[in-house]
Every structure is written in structure tokens, then in C-alpha cells.
């Protein structure tokens, strides 16, 4: 061992420096671009839905499916460590659902989503929700090929959460304040404080307030979804003729850049 | 929380680049990690130690450059450090801030030796 710095070089050998400058998530990003091309070939708008465990992601998706099933054909990919429970809940509403069980992984990655697409009838869908593993840390770092990030903050959490988990709130194209039907019982949660906390990490723009249970505020959310799908359809028509799938062709969208931003954002 | 998968990617990259350049023993690896990545440096080191066992990097030293966050104000053009992730320009108070540093996550370079059969 080298006596100068403790490295593995021995005297008399010539140490060379090799420049790499390669992102450690490059492989995931490449696959995410590939997944995005699957969506674009079929004119499907895909959303990465993220939040803490228990913020109401699945309930929101159930309410959204009920509200939108006449207008849009929806599919859902569910991510959890274990169980098929959430996919079963979604299937009861008559829409295709695939369950990814990650085992120990705390986030979905592009490979898992790509594999789950096998059972998803993309040609028959307009909108695909991918419900990430409940976690406010890791999912923010992994592009899974979606077009937009939606992050939920429920009123049963702390109203300073955006400041505590700034990376994920910063990455969101839209933030939803959920379970607002419970606000009368939770005097410790101040929506104005939550919004101020969001402004601090995201800049201007208020979250949409809604309740999946009562349906209050759902119209603004479904309106946003319809506008996103329509805009995406303009860029990637659903003509039933997918383009030749070129694996070497990388799509240009970066992580977390939807085509438009939230109302007022 | 996903330090292991990050270091697993690093090892794959390292082996790939070492093979391509004929390096048979890696002595030092330089990793650049932005603080906004939320990765724990001690855990990164722990994962590295486990992953290099029985590889061409088994005695390699891991250097980690931790990059503090910085921003650029779209309104007044100022560049500034972001100590607590408060995205307001300290010069003009504007809220239109782009993050310019702190999201890095790449292997900058590595050092290594080309050993001949006689050295080994």
C-alpha cells in the first residue's frame, strides 16, 4: 500500500487518472426516456403521484376515476413494498391496474415501471397514474418516465412539511392539499401556513385544496388533468400508429418538467 | 435512503470504465454529491466498502466532494448560496430562483494501475 495517502498503489507502479464525469443515475434516466417514448407513442399522459404513506393517494385516484371515467380512459400502476391491495381497490372501479411490489426498495425506478407496462393496455388509455411508494425522500430522485409530478400533502400531516422535504415539493408540477374535509377538526393545521411553506421552497403558486371523500375541490384537479391530456395529445397524437421504436433515440424531456404548470403556479 | 443503489451504479460504471481503459486495479475514486440529493455520506462509504470486496477496487480510497446548494435569481441575476433551502433571492427578495448547485451526483474520475501478469 502507498505510504503517502493510503491508496492501493505500490511503489514503482504508474497510477493513471481516468476521467469519467458520468451521472450515477444515467442508466435509470436512459430507461426513463425509453418508458416516456412508450407513453408518447400511444399518446398517453403519465403522472407520477407522490406523498407520505397515508396522505390519500389511492383514495384520490379512486375519486378521480369516478369523476373522469366518462371523459378519459384511465389506467393505474400502484407501487408498494408489499401486497396487491391498492391495485385491487383500483380494479373495483373497472379500470386496468398493475401492482409493483418493490420488496425493500423505497421508491419506484424506471426499470420497475417498464416491466409493469407489459400488462398495461396503453393503446386503450388516455391517462396513466403511477402511484409511487409512500415516501417524501427517495422518489424525488428517480425519473420513472412520467410527464408530470404531482405531490400530495394531507391536512393530517404537519403544515411545515414542504420545508422539511423541500426536494420533492420543489420537483412537483402540482401540489394537492388533500383531506380538507378534516380541516374543521385539526386546528393545528393551518392551510395558510402550509401554503407559505410551499412558497418558500417552490416560489409562488398555491396548491389545489380538495377532498377525495366529499368531492370538494375535485373540479379544479380534474380540469387540470383534462387540460394536460389535451395538451399532450397535441404533441403526441393518439393515431393508433406508434412510431418505430428506436431504442437509441432518447427523448428530450427532463425529470419533472410537465408541459404546463399548475393554475396560478 | 437509496445509498446502496447509488453505489451499486457507481461500481458498475467503475468496472465498465476500468475495463475499457485497461485498468486492472483501482486506487482512488472521486465522487461528487450535491447536498440536495439527500444522501448520507457515511452510508455511501459503508456501501462502497461492502461493494468493493473481491473487486478490482478492493483497496481503493473513496473521495466524496459534497457540494453545497447555490441558486441564481432570474429577476436580478444574483448568484448566491442557499443555506437552508429558502428559495428567495437575498439581494432583491425575488422568488424566481433556479438551483445551480447541489443536485450533482456523478463519478468525476478514478485513479488506477495497469498491472501486467508479472506484477500480480
Amino acid at each position: 500500500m502507498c505510504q503517502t495517502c493510503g491508496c492501493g498503489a505500490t511503489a514503482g507502479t504508474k497510477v493513471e487518472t481516468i476521467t469519467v464525469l458520468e451521472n450515477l443515475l444515467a442508466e435509470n434516466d436512459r430507461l426513463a426516456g425509453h418508458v416516456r417514448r412508450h407513453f408518447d407513442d400511444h399518446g398517453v399522459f403519465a403522472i407520477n403521484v407522490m406523498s407520505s404513506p397515508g396522505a390519500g393517494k389511492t383514495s384520490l385516484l379512486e375519486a378521480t376515476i369516478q369523476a373522469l371515467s366518462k371523459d378519459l380512459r384511465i389506467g393505474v400502476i400502484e407501487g408498494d413494498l408489499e401486497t396487491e391491495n391498492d391495485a385491487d381497490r383500483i380494479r373495483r372501479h373497472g379500470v386496468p391496474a398493475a401492482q409493483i411490489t418493490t420488496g425493500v426498495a423505497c421508491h419506484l425506478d424506471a426499470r420497475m415501471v417498464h416491466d409493469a407496462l407489459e400488462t398495461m393496455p396503453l393503446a386503450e388509455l388516455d391517462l396513466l397514474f403511477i402511484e409511487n411508494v409512500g415516501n417524501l425522500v427517495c422518489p424525488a430522485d428517480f425519473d420513472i418516465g412520467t410527464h408530470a409530478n404531482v405531490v400530495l400533502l394531507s391536512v393530517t400531516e404537519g403544515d411545515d412539511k414542504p420545508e422539511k422535504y423541500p426536494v420533492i415539493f420543489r420537483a412537483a408540477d402540482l401540489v394537492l392539499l388533500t383531506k380538507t374535509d378534516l380541516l374543521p377538526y385539526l386546528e393545528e393545521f393551518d392551510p395558510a401556513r402550509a401554503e407559505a411553506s410551499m412558497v418558500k421552497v417552490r416560489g409562488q403558486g398555491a396548491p389545489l385544496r380538495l377532498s377525495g371523500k366529499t368531492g370538494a375541490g375535485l373540479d379544479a384537479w380534474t380540469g387540470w388533468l383534462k387540460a394536460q391530456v389535451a395538451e399532450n395529445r397535441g404533441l403526441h397524437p393518439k393515431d393508433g400508429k406508434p412510431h418505430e421504436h428506436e431504442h437509441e433515440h432518447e427523448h428530450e424531456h427532463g425529470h419533472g418538467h410537465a408541459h404546463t404548470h399548475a393554475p396560478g403556479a | 435512503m437509496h445509498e446502496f443503489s447509488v453505489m451499486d451504479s457507481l461500481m458498475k460504471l467503475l468496472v465498465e470504465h476500468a475495463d475499457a481503459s485497461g485498468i486492472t486495479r483501482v486506487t482512488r475514486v472521486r465522487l461528487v454529491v450535491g447536498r440536495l440529493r439527500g444522501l448520507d455520506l457515511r452510508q455511501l462509504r459503508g456501501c462502497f466498502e461492502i461493494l468493493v470486496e473481491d473487486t478490482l477496487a478492493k483497496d481503493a480510497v473513496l473521495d466524496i466532494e459534497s457540494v453545497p446548494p447555490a441558486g441564481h435569481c432570474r429577476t436580478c441575476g444574483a448568484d448566491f448560496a442557499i443555506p437552508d433551502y429558502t428559495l428567495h433571492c437575498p439581494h432583491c427578495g425575488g422568488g424566481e430562483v433556479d438551483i445551480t448547485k447541489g443536485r450533482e451526483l456523478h463519478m468525476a474520475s478514478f485513479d488506477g494501475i495497469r498491472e501486467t501478469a508479472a506484477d500480480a
Side-chain angles (χ1 to χ4, degrees):
Chain A
M1 185 178 278
C2 159
Q3 297 303 308
T4 314
C5 65
C7 77
T10 45
T13 49
K14 188 168 165 286
V15 176
E16 290 175 58
T17 298
I18 312 287
T19 304
V20 180
L21 291 176
E22 210 167 313
N23 193 300
L24 297 188
L25 301 179
E27 176 61 15
N28 182 73
D29 291 348
R30 191 190 62 77
L31 261 173
H34 175 80
V35 168
R36 195 145 33 231
R37 274 189 63 77
H38 276 295
F39 296 147
D40 290 343
D41 282 349
H42 293 288
V44 173
F45 188 74
I47 299 182
N48 185 1
V49 182
M50 297 176 279
S51 78
S52 315
K57 292 186 289 302
T58 313
S59 299
L60 173 72
L61 294 185
E62 290 183 278
T64 307
I65 290 164
Q66 287 196 327
L68 277 178
S69 57
K70 284 191 188 67
D71 304 300
L72 297 173
R73 295 166 297 172
I74 299 173
V76 177
I77 294 177
E78 289 284 344
D80 282 296
L81 299 196
E82 295 294 349
T83 83
E84 187 85 10
N85 296 356
D86 282 0
D88 284 343
R89 273 172 70 183
I90 297 294
R91 285 185 196 115
R92 277 182 219 135
H93 299 273
V95 305
Q99 178 79 49
I100 301 173
T101 48
T102 62
V104 294
C106 47
H107 58 271
L108 295 180
D109 64 28
R111 164 66 63 192
M112 298 177 202
V113 171
H114 186 261
D115 293 349
L117 288 183
E118 222 168 86
T119 60
M120 222 5 94
L122 288 182
E124 295 154 29
L125 298 181
D126 302 306
L127 175 61
L128 178 71
F129 291 108
I130 302 180
E131 184 184 324
N132 219 310
V133 178
N135 176 348
L136 284 178
V137 184
C138 309
D141 255 355
F142 289 84
D143 186 357
I144 53 170
T146 44
H147 300 94
N149 293 326
V150 170
V151 175
L152 280 63
L153 172 64
S154 65
V155 302
T156 51
E157 303 173 60
D159 51 23
D160 58 349
K161 260 212 174 145
E163 286 163 81
K164 288 178 173 168
Y165 299 89
V167 177
I168 201 160
F169 282 96
R170 171 83 181 171
D173 295 291
L174 179 66
V175 179
L176 304 177
L177 193 62
T178 60
K179 303 190 186 180
T180 52
D181 54 292
L182 296 175
L183 272 175
Y185 312 102
L186 296 163
E187 54 189 46
E188 56 273 54
F189 189 98
D190 178 356
R193 218 157 41 210
E195 287 173 14
S197 178
M198 266 175 233
V199 166
K200 227 175 146 186
V201 299
R202 288 171 52 76
Q204 293 304 317
L208 297 182
R209 298 184 189 189
L210 56 84
S211 162
K213 197 169 190 175
T214 65
L218 215 56
D219 285 353
W221 160 238
T222 53
W224 183 82
L225 289 170
K226 282 193 246 184
Q228 297 292 315
V229 170
E231 188 178 340
N232 187 60
R233 188 59 52 80
L235 296 168
H236 306 287
K238 200 167 191 72
D239 56 6
K241 286 181 289 183
H243 309 114
E244 193 61 36
H245 212 92
E246 295 168 49
H247 284 232
E248 66 283 2
H249 183 115
E250 285 304 326
H251 203 284
E252 298 304 320
H253 293 303
H255 186 200
H257 294 278
H259 299 123
T260 57
H261 285 269
Chain B
M1 284 168 92
H2 46 267
E3 282 77 1
F4 197 86
S5 48
V6 166
M7 292 315 269
D8 194 42
S9 305
L10 175 115
M11 284 307 294
K12 287 195 179 103
L13 263 185
L14 183 62
V15 170
E16 202 176 290
H17 282 264
D19 283 351
S21 48
I23 297 288
T24 52
R25 197 146 59 88
V26 174
T27 55
R28 187 173 290 272
V29 180
R30 296 179 192 84
L31 174 62
V32 180
V33 183
R35 294 214 186 126
L36 299 177
R37 286 284 177 183
L39 292 166
D40 183 78
L41 303 191
R42 209 175 41 177
Q43 281 191 47
L44 288 178
R45 289 184 182 286
C47 294
F48 183 75
E49 274 177 34
I50 293 166
L51 286 162
V52 295
E53 276 178 26
D54 302 322
T55 71
L56 80 180
K58 64 176 161 42
D59 297 318
V61 174
L62 176 65
D63 287 341
I64 302 179
E65 182 192 344
S66 174
V67 184
H72 175 83
C73 175
R74 285 194 212 171
T75 311
C76 76
D79 291 295
F80 50 89
I82 305 174
D84 58 355
Y85 216 107
T86 302
L87 292 174
H88 279 116
C89 174
H91 301 277
C92 74
E96 293 273 299
V97 171
D98 293 320
I99 292 170
T100 53
K101 281 184 187 167
R103 297 278 301 154
E104 296 79 359
L105 183 56
H106 61 268
M107 172 163 37
S109 64
F110 64 93
D111 292 348
I113 303 161
R114 291 192 181 90
E115 290 170 313
T116 59
D119 295 333

